[in-house]
Amino acid sequence: VNFRIDNFSTAIYNRTLCQFIDSLMCLMPQIMPLEDEDTAKAMERAFRKMRATVMTSTTVKSVAVREDGKCDVVIEGKKGEQTLEADVVLSAVGIKSNIEDMGLEELGIEVERDKIKVDEHYKTSVDGVYAIGDIIATPALAHVASAEALVFILGRKLVSG
């Protein structure tokens, strides 16, 4: 199976899936952009060892499904624009906050680029309203949200005594 993925975050921990990856494209200059360079390079070596082509600083411009069910994937990267063929394309390009229709604007809570704006204490633009986790502009990871909750709670305890 010829399998292409344009950001591997959802597949990285699943070796069963990884054995089917033929090509890996990442928009950022390194795979795993939130990790340190050594970790990213180790993962890139692991993919290459599994005979996957790794292309960083590469954009997936379009994907078209042909009549025979195969996909034509147009990418643009260091070698310019090219078209690759794939049986399957998995696109994992991040998350979108689920903050629509919550009445944030009516409350006066500032939103910027799909994220609630907060200060260093997680306070929004409205007194008494705080936000943490995937809805603010920090990495959308469970352990980050947990740490934000602890910082908020411990900070409140220190202030209130």
Side-chain angles (χ1 to χ4, degrees):
V1 172
N2 188 4
F3 186 84
R4 301 193 187 279
I5 182 169
D6 75 339
N7 185 330
F8 66 97
S9 300
T10 58
I12 199 67
Y13 300 109
N14 188 339
R15 188 168 172 88
T16 304
L17 179 58
C18 291
Q19 69 185 331
F20 296 107
I21 295 175
D22 176 65
S23 300
L24 177 94
M25 280 70 81
C26 185
L27 177 64
M28 304 304 287
Q30 73 176 30
I31 64 172
M32 299 179 68
L34 298 178
E35 300 299 328
D36 64 88
E37 188 177 346
D38 291 339
T39 302
K41 290 217 179 287
M43 287 308 302
E44 186 171 331
R45 281 192 303 274
F47 276 108
R48 290 183 194 277
K49 190 174 181 180
M50 290 184 280
R51 293 185 167 70
T53 302
V54 177
M55 293 173 258
T56 56
S57 301
T58 301
T59 303
V60 175
K61 305 291 270 182
S62 66
V63 178
V65 180
R66 302 188 316 224
E67 284 186 24
D68 65 359
K70 298 214 183 265
C71 301
D72 289 325
V73 183
V74 178
I75 63 167
E76 187 170 356
K78 297 171 187 168
K79 296 180 181 179
E81 189 171 290
Q82 56 190 45
T83 302
L84 307 173
E85 180 183 276
D87 295 316
V88 176
V89 176
L90 172 62
S91 177
V93 292
I95 66 162
K96 182 175 176 357
S97 299
N98 187 14
I99 59 173
E100 295 83 24
D101 303 320
M102 291 181 64
L104 298 175
E105 295 79 16
E106 290 83 2
L107 288 173
I109 296 174
E110 290 182 49
V111 175
E112 184 176 281
R113 298 181 61 202
D114 193 41
K115 300 290 182 181
I116 295 174
K117 289 179 69 172
V118 296
D119 67 12
E120 65 275 7
H121 304 288
Y122 305 106
K123 182 182 177 299
T124 69
S125 54
V126 174
D127 285 337
V129 179
Y130 299 83
I132 62 166
D134 297 356
I135 60 173
I136 66 172
T138 55
L141 302 167
H143 68 280
V144 172
S146 295
E148 290 167 352
L150 288 173
V151 167
F152 173 75
I153 292 167
L154 293 174
R156 302 278 295 170
K157 278 189 174 255
L158 289 174
V159 170
S160 64

